Amino acid sequence: QVQLEESGGGLVQAGGSLRLSCKASGRSFSGHVMAWFRQAPGKERELVASVTSGGTTYHEDTVEGRFTISRHNGLNEVYLEMNALKPEDTAVYYCAAERGNRNLLVAARVDYWGRGTQVTVSS
């Protein structure tokens, strides 16, 4: 019954913007760090951004200044605002939740995963 469901992915031209949303259900995630990972073909899943319940954020270096993670604890939702998209941002983006309060999540320790949403940035 616990689920994370992403939405908002799609095809966009380089320089464009997308806003990803993740709706969590089945339980409260107030005790979890919420995060976005991405995985491109042939590559390992990597942490893109994370946010604690208290609002402390982390953004991977290549997206810093372009992407912004946020969460609405009352709605059990997490968002990723993506601006100035580049072709190298193309990947499946996964919503994730990990019990605790640390920003630097490791994929192997993630407690819940969404199924992913495709983001494709064309040049």
Side-chain angles (χ1 to χ4, degrees):
Q1 189 174 354
V2 176
Q3 288 185 301
L4 304 177
E5 186 170 0
E6 304 95 337
S7 62
L11 176 64
V12 65
Q13 201 75 22
S17 299
L18 285 172
R19 185 175 187 263
L20 305 183
S21 297
C22 173
K23 181 180 180 181
S25 61
R27 66 169 296 167
S28 171
F29 286 86
S30 60
H32 291 70
V33 177
M34 303 300 296
W36 291 94
F37 285 76
R38 66 185 179 188
Q39 188 167 24
K43 295 186 177 180
E44 295 295 316
R45 194 168 296 188
E46 68 170 349
L47 178 65
V48 177
S50 64
V51 56
T52 68
S53 293
T56 302
T57 62
Y58 162 83
H59 298 86
E60 191 270 331
D61 287 346
T62 64
V63 309
E64 181 70 39
R66 299 189 298 120
F67 293 9
T68 303
I69 190 171
S70 61
R71 68 190 292 172
H72 193 302
N73 289 330
L75 297 178
N76 237 17
E77 295 180 348
V78 60
Y79 315 98
L80 187 68
E81 183 73 33
M82 304 186 293
N83 299 308
L85 283 160
K86 304 174 181 179
E88 50 263 47
D89 295 317
T90 295
V92 177
Y93 283 70
Y94 297 90
C95 182
E98 181 178 298
R99 293 187 295 272
N101 200 43
R102 66 178 191 171
N103 281 108
L104 296 180
L105 282 67
V106 177
R109 296 178 180 173
V110 166
D111 294 297
Y112 302 100
W113 290 101
R115 292 180 178 179
T117 185
Q118 178 72 47
V119 172
T120 302
V121 184
S122 61
S123 60

